[in-house]
């Protein structure tokens, strides 16, 4: 009995010791958890009762080929920001491919509706100013959930300002057309996440936060991080 | 025994042509595209916004080596024709002769005779001419030869072996009375081109060229003048006596991994009717960046000056291409700095090499 009690105490102590770094890490990356959870709940409600139903309707109504065309169109516009950020990160090979993607998809690909560049062997990249700041060593800062905009960090949130400034959609003079483009892009982006969100389990807030932070860390090093070596597990 | 002899003879007869053919290579490059062209400088031939299917110098040819039975020396030949996929007025032919030359090469160098690229084009103009349809390049204006083209017939040339990276080239054009197919010149056409290229320093190539053409009396239209924004072919006089043209050029190319930087300078003087008629020069910078997967972005900038007419023109171009095996897809734009945007051209092209 004593032995059993002793082993339980040891197991408990070990468990506590193992848990402590995790809790400390959570506090370190998410010191504003209270605020963030409130914003997350707000966004989640907005998504549940407005954006998600609209996106589900969009996905149900749109033929797959049209849905792909819309996705390709906005992907082509996004390549403009990616090109700029690859240049700012000194990734000239990637920037060359980004330029080629924009050139070929905008012409041969009928204004970006068809992604001809990918089957031609020109890789697609995903860069933004938050990643550029991270590439040059700017720390991510605390995790932050913004109303309407969702999960980010202080660094990535600041990066959204120049992202917005170089967004090709913003260059449209016609307000109606520009807002329609914004709305379509948001719905398209949300529709693309409908399948992925089925993976969410447990505490939704923690799941989304951890997934976001991991994805950003992965993207900044273009998947070359040493943390992904299986020997680390 | 007889059967085996017959079999051997039959086998020999069948093998002989195969051996003979084995040294010849059929090759080609078919290049088509769609171009949007503003006025190209020739009045009436194009208008703003014209969209054409264009052939950007499609060609096919045969080349190969021939055993001369000599130690260290072998013969070679090359024939190349332009083939056309368009019905442009200036491309009405179905087949155009581009190259036809034979020669011998060995440790002592290369000697060749026929119709060939002159070294001025190969060493000075070609490095910066990074675009697929190169005809709008200012550099084409400085071509030598009886028809002022980059390929010259009636030519004999010698190319030295590389001596610590230094190579000399000398070529002469010999055209007697009425033995050529060009009626522009009546008699005694002579020209020469001497050039040198040096690549003894890693990643760097330097070239220089000087050429001179004495065309005698020119009795038909000649290449003089600038129309619109582009130096181009027009008629300055119906008869030009003692026509002569000399061209000097310098070029450099430097490679840094995926990045290539090229530069050139050319100047030319044209005299006829006893006076200097044209005194022109051009300098050009070009760069090309090629990724490991065959994506290339390239651009060039050129400044052209014609002193007698106080003409100063600028031209820039930007292109992107993707290599896929032996195929290339490209998108290129050339802009001429002139009031009417004459000669501006955008080409979406497709090229297959074989």
């Amino acid at each position: 009995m004593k032995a059993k009690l002793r082993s339980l105490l040891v197991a408990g102590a070990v468990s506590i010791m193992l848990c402590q770094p995790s809790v400390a890490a959570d506090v370190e990356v998410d010191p504003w958890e209270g605020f963030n959870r409130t914003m997350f709940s707000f966004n989640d409600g907005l998504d549940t009762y407005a954006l998600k139903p609209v996106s589900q309707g969009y996905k149900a109504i749109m033929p797959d080929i049209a849905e792909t065309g819309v996705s390709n169109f906005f992907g082509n516009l996004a390549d403009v920001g990616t090109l700029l950020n690859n240049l700012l990160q000194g990734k000239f090979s990637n920037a060359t491919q980004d330029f080629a993607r924009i050139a070929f998809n905008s012409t041969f690909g009928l204004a970006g509706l068809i992604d001809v560049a990918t089957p031609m062997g020109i890789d697609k990249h995903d860069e933004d100013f938050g990643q550029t700041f991270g590439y040059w060593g700017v720390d991510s800062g605390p995790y932050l959930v913004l109303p309407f905009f969702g999960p980010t960090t202080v660094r990535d949130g600041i990066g959204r300002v120049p992202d917005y400034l170089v967004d090709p959609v913003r260059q449209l003079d016609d307000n109606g057309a520009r807002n329609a483009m914004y709305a379509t892009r948001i719905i398209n982006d949300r529709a693309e996440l409908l399948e992925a969100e089925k993976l969410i389990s447990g505490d939704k807030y923690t799941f989304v936060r951890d997934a976001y932070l991991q994805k950003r860390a992965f993207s900044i090093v273009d998947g070359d991080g040493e943390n992904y070596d299986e020997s680390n597990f | 025994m007889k059967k085996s002899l017959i079999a051997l003879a039959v086998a020999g007869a069948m093998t002989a042509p195969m051996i003979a053919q084995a040294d010849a290579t059929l090759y080609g490059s078919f290049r088509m595209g769609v171009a949007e062209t503003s006025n190209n400088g020739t009045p009436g031939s194009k208008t703003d916004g014209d969209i054409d299917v264009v052939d950007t110098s499609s060609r096919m040819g045969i080349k190969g080596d021939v055993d001369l039975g000599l130690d260290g020396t072998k013969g070679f030949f090359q024939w190349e024709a332009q083939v056309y996929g368009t019905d442009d007025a200036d491309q009405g032919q179905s087949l155009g002769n581009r190259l036809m030359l034979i020669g011998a090469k060995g440790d002592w160098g290369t000697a060749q005779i026929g119709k060939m690229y002159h070294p001025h084009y190969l060493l000075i103009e070609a490095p910066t001419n990074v675009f697929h349809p190169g005809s709008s390049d200012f550099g084409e204006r400085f071509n030598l030869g009886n028809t002022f083209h980059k390929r010259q017939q009636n030519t004999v040339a010698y190319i030295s072996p590389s001596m610590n990276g230094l190579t000399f080239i000398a070529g002469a054009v010999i055209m007697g009375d009425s033995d050529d197919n060009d009626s522009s010149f009546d008699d005694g056409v002579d020209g020469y081109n001497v050039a040198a290229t040096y690549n003894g320093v890693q990643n760097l190539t330097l070239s220089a060229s000087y050429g001179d053409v004495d065309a005698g009396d020119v009795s038909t239209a000649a290449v003089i003048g600038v129309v619109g924004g582009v130096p181009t072919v027009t008629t300055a006089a119906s008869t030009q006596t003692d026509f002569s043209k000399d061209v000097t050029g310098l070029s450099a190319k430097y490679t840094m991994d995926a990045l290539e930087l090229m530069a050139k300078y050319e100047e030319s003087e044209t005299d006829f009717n006893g006076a200097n008629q044209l005194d022109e020069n051009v300098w050009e910078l070009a760069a090309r960046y090629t990724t490991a997967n065959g994506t290339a972005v390239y651009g060039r900038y050129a400044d052209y000056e014609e002193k007698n007419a106080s003409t100063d023109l600028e031209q820039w171009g930007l292109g992107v291409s993707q290599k896929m095996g032996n195929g290339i897809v490209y998108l290129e734009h050339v802009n001429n700095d002139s009031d009417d945007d004459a000669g501006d051209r955008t080409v979406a092209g497709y090229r297959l090499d074989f």
Side-chain angles (χ1 to χ4, degrees), chain A residues 200-218:
Chain A
I200 295 176
S201 61
D203 179 15
K204 193 174 182 181
Y205 171 83
T206 308
F207 188 97
V208 171
R209 181 193 65 193
D210 292 349
Y212 174 81
L213 293 175
Q214 276 191 36
K215 182 182 182 301
R216 294 298 289 178
F218 184 86

Side-chain angles (χ1 to χ4, degrees), chain B residues 295-335:
Chain B
T295 307
V297 173
Y298 41 93
R300 60 183 173 85
Y301 174 82
D303 186 283
Y304 169 88
E305 184 182 14
E306 205 284 276
K307 293 178 182 174
N308 294 343
S310 299
T311 303
D312 197 349
L313 304 169
E314 295 176 2
Q315 185 185 64
W316 61 265
L318 185 64
V320 58
S321 69
Q322 177 64 34
K323 186 170 172 54
M324 300 172 294
N326 289 329
I328 294 177
V329 175
Y330 60 88
L331 185 66
E332 297 174 348
H333 176 76
V334 173
N335 184 82

